[in-house]
Amino acid sequence: QVQLVESGGGLVQPGGSLRLSCTASGRTVSSYASGWFRQAPGKDREFVATIDWSGANTYYAVSVKGRFTFSRDNAKNTVYLQMDSLKPEDTAVYYCAASDRRDIVTIPSLYNYWGQGTQVTVSS
């Protein structure tokens, strides 16, 4: 049984930083693609970032490119989303996801496993 457990959300001021973590059990993160998505109230779930099985390739939404960084620690079986220069419009519930595919995946329906979500609020 695959489980994804997220942590690291919270309240931060505009311009601040947060690092989200997602630890997997039941599968090895280095064997498949992983992703981060977010959902703000009243909006659809939105792609944020993805990393392929090798860890060598990442892809970001235009809205976060240059501010967010997706990384992975294979020894801890954990993926991270470092979020810098946060803006109020980044406020959302952030979800970690794992795909059975190996290449970069940006479409939610192609992810097979989801975490429970962690709230990120950017406000002064």
Side-chain angles (χ1 to χ4, degrees):
Q1 182 180 1
V2 177
Q3 285 191 319
L4 304 175
V5 179
E6 299 133 337
S7 61
L11 173 64
V12 63
Q13 292 187 343
S17 297
L18 281 175
R19 188 178 78 159
L20 305 183
S21 301
C22 174
T23 299
S25 59
R27 74 160 13 185
T28 303
V29 296
S30 59
S31 296
Y32 302 95
S34 300
W36 287 96
F37 291 78
R38 66 187 182 186
Q39 189 166 19
K43 294 188 176 181
D44 293 335
R45 191 165 296 191
E46 174 189 28
F47 164 75
V48 175
T50 179
I51 194 167
D52 73 353
W53 70 277
S54 71
N57 299 297
T58 54
Y59 184 77
Y60 299 91
V62 171
S63 58
V64 307
K65 191 173 183 179
R67 300 188 297 121
F68 290 11
T69 304
F70 200 155
S71 63
R72 195 174 71 191
D73 186 332
N74 293 339
K76 295 183 178 180
N77 213 32
T78 299
V79 298
Y80 303 96
L81 186 67
Q82 177 67 40
M83 304 186 295
D84 299 318
S85 303
L86 282 162
K87 305 175 181 180
E89 51 264 43
D90 294 319
T91 295
V93 177
Y94 283 71
Y95 296 90
C96 170
S99 175
D100 285 341
R101 295 173 178 251
R102 290 163 66 84
D103 294 333
I104 286 173
V105 182
T106 64
I107 302 172
S109 62
L110 295 181
Y111 282 88
N112 305 90
Y113 309 99
W114 293 85
Q116 80 284 359
T118 185
Q119 177 70 46
V120 171
T121 303
V122 185
S123 175
S124 55

